[in-house]
Amino acid sequence: MKIRTWKMETKNETPAPFMAVHPGMMIKPELEERGISQKEFAKMVGVQASHLSEVLNGKRTLTTDLAMKIESAIGLPAKVLLSAQTQYELESANLASDNKKIETIPITIPIGDRNLLREIVRRFGWVGVF
């Protein structure tokens, strides 16, 4: 049996470590940048404010249905949000199995700076839809 090994090629010999973030960490800054309160947004997408708050704070999983409503309301692609949710769950499972503590770091990207988002997506190998 032949075993294939794959080496990820990078321009930088010491790539930055990757830590998946909960999609709530992507949605929350967008709302703040647009001046939309969580209560207003909950009404816009048709969920209870407490439910939305739990999603935005990473205490509840983002569902496909809610991701689609968010895309319709403010244009954040559901595919990107659901990809972030999946990556977050996988990272959480890996860290839990290694008995490591998970740490999330919020990153705020202004609405007008989509080039920065594209660069982050490229560097970390995320799938991005713009």
Side-chain angles (χ1 to χ4, degrees):
M1 172 185 237
K2 187 176 182 180
I3 298 175
R4 271 190 189 184
T5 58
W6 298 92
K7 182 180 180 219
M8 189 169 139
E9 293 183 27
T10 61
K11 293 179 184 177
N12 184 348
E13 289 302 318
T14 56
F18 172 75
M19 175 60 70
V21 295
H22 190 278
M25 297 291 203
M26 299 166 70
I27 301 164
K28 204 174 197 179
E30 285 285 331
L31 296 179
E32 290 169 4
E33 184 72 26
R34 295 167 190 238
I36 303 171
S37 74
Q38 289 184 24
K39 194 172 186 178
E40 290 172 314
F41 193 61
K43 287 180 184 177
M44 287 172 67
V45 295
V47 298
Q48 293 184 0
S50 59
H51 177 91
L52 179 65
S53 177
E54 289 176 348
V55 171
L56 297 181
N57 291 310
K59 296 179 181 178
R60 186 182 286 247
T61 300
L62 176 71
T63 63
T64 303
D65 183 53
L66 183 53
M68 292 173 64
K69 289 177 180 180
I70 291 169
E71 181 176 21
S72 292
I74 61 172
L76 279 177
K79 288 181 180 181
V80 172
L81 296 174
L82 292 170
S83 176
Q85 180 67 51
T86 301
Q87 289 175 354
Y88 178 80
E89 289 172 7
L90 288 170
E91 185 71 19
S92 297
N94 286 336
L95 289 174
S97 68
D98 292 341
N99 294 324
K100 293 181 181 175
K101 183 181 176 191
I102 186 165
E103 179 182 345
T104 58
I105 302 167
I107 299 172
T108 303
I109 300 172
I111 293 172
D113 198 356
R114 294 296 182 204
N115 290 333
L116 176 59
L117 180 57
R118 285 186 179 96
E119 180 64 17
I120 290 171
V121 167
R122 186 189 66 73
R123 283 192 184 192
F124 291 99
W126 293 352
V127 175
V129 179
F130 300 90

